Amino acid sequence: MENEHQPRLRSVVSYVKRGGRMTVGQQRAWDELWPALGRTVGELPAGKLDFTEWFGREAPVMLEIGSGMGETTSQLAAAAPELNYVAAEVYDPGLGQLMLRAEKLGVGNLRLLHGDAVVFLTEHVEPDTLHGVRLFFPDPWPKKKHHKRRIVSPSFAALVASRLAPGGTFHMATDWESYAEQMLEVCSAEPALKNRYDGWAPRPDWRPVTKFEQRADVEGRVSHDLIFEKR
């Protein structure tokens, strides 16, 4: 969700600005858990974020962009305690729900960002540092006239690549064929990235089935994974 502090660098907003009231539980999570777990991108101090200080330990950093309602994200963070897992989202109730899910699972290696991940990557992440970036089922903007709003673009691929450590991964998934093809074309053209597979990646067993995948299956759409790594 946009606020007066952001985005400063974005000329095209690549996500939908969603409203929605929070449940009592989600509001409790914001009141009780957010001060320790979360930060707002537009309110971060100038300069690069010290992940070691934020997490209280040094560990590889995984950034997930667009955590939605948090069901997948909470499970992924719980399954990888060796990672410092950062989830970026613009939807307030989604972040509230993610905090509730993480609390229930006893997740201790998760931190949350509220705001534009592009601004965060540009202004607050050191180059060549991230273990990985995950982008699962971003807003597809299916109408052709809206394709320019899709987050995966040449400039975005270059930005992600610049922030990954050598060997770090950029893992994408979408159930929209045209978007999958765009992701493949864009990332294949980025000199700093190489595809780990000859085209689509096998669907990882460790990635939980999302509601988007379930809906896509019902509607006859095939989900595609792509995994690129930093050269």
Side-chain angles (χ1 to χ4, degrees):
M1 185 175 293
E2 307 246 0
N3 60 45
E4 68 271 19
H5 302 290
Q6 60 170 273
R8 299 184 295 281
L9 307 181
R10 179 70 64 78
S11 59
V12 176
V13 177
S14 63
Y15 50 80
V16 178
K17 183 179 178 182
R18 296 185 177 92
R21 293 184 178 181
M22 286 188 282
T23 66
V24 172
Q26 291 164 358
Q27 186 62 58
R28 178 188 68 79
W30 272 94
D31 294 340
E32 298 180 6
L33 304 176
W34 179 260
L37 299 180
R39 297 189 179 181
T40 299
V41 173
E43 296 175 358
L44 290 172
K48 307 309 180 184
L49 178 64
D50 186 340
F51 289 105
T52 300
E53 184 275 332
W54 193 15
F55 281 85
R57 67 171 190 173
E58 186 171 352
V61 177
M62 176 66 71
L63 172 64
E64 182 179 334
I65 299 174
S67 52
M69 296 304 289
E71 184 171 9
T72 294
T73 306
S74 57
Q75 294 179 57
L76 291 174
E82 73 280 5
L83 297 178
N84 284 346
Y85 208 103
V86 181
E89 178 56 57
V90 298
Y91 185 46
D92 298 37
L95 287 168
Q97 194 64 36
L98 174 54
M99 286 185 279
L100 292 177
R101 295 182 192 279
E103 181 183 44
K104 185 176 181 179
L105 292 174
V107 176
N109 63 321
L110 178 66
R111 300 292 184 270
L112 286 66
L113 287 169
H114 181 248
D116 192 332
V118 171
V119 174
F120 176 69
L121 283 166
T122 302
E123 298 186 1
H124 302 293
V125 178
E126 292 278 1
D128 304 312
T129 57
L130 295 180
H131 176 73
V133 174
R134 289 172 175 167
L135 180 70
F136 296 153
F137 302 93
D139 288 325
W141 297 101
K143 294 182 179 180
K144 189 171 183 178
K145 65 180 181 180
H146 291 152
H147 285 186
K148 63 185 178 182
R149 294 183 177 271
R150 290 173 170 174
I151 190 171
V152 179
S153 65
S155 61
F156 180 73
L159 175 60
V160 169
S162 72
R163 273 25 183 191
L164 288 173
T169 56
F170 181 26
H171 185 175
M172 297 157 280
T174 182
D175 57 301
W176 288 88
E177 186 76 22
S178 68
Y179 202 177
E181 291 172 352
Q182 177 179 329
M183 290 173 172
L184 178 60
E185 179 181 357
V186 166
C187 292
S188 296
E190 169 50 49
L193 296 174
K194 63 178 179 180
N195 195 340
R196 279 194 169 177
Y197 299 90
D198 183 16
W200 313 123
R203 191 198 183 286
D205 293 336
W206 50 260
R207 183 168 64 74
V209 177
T210 69
K211 66 178 182 179
F212 296 104
E213 280 188 284
Q214 293 171 347
R215 183 188 307 160
D217 185 60
V218 170
E219 296 176 359
R221 293 194 307 276
V222 177
S223 295
H224 293 293
D225 283 73
L226 285 164
I227 301 177
F228 282 77
E229 67 177 62
K230 174 78 168 282
R231 295 184 186 275

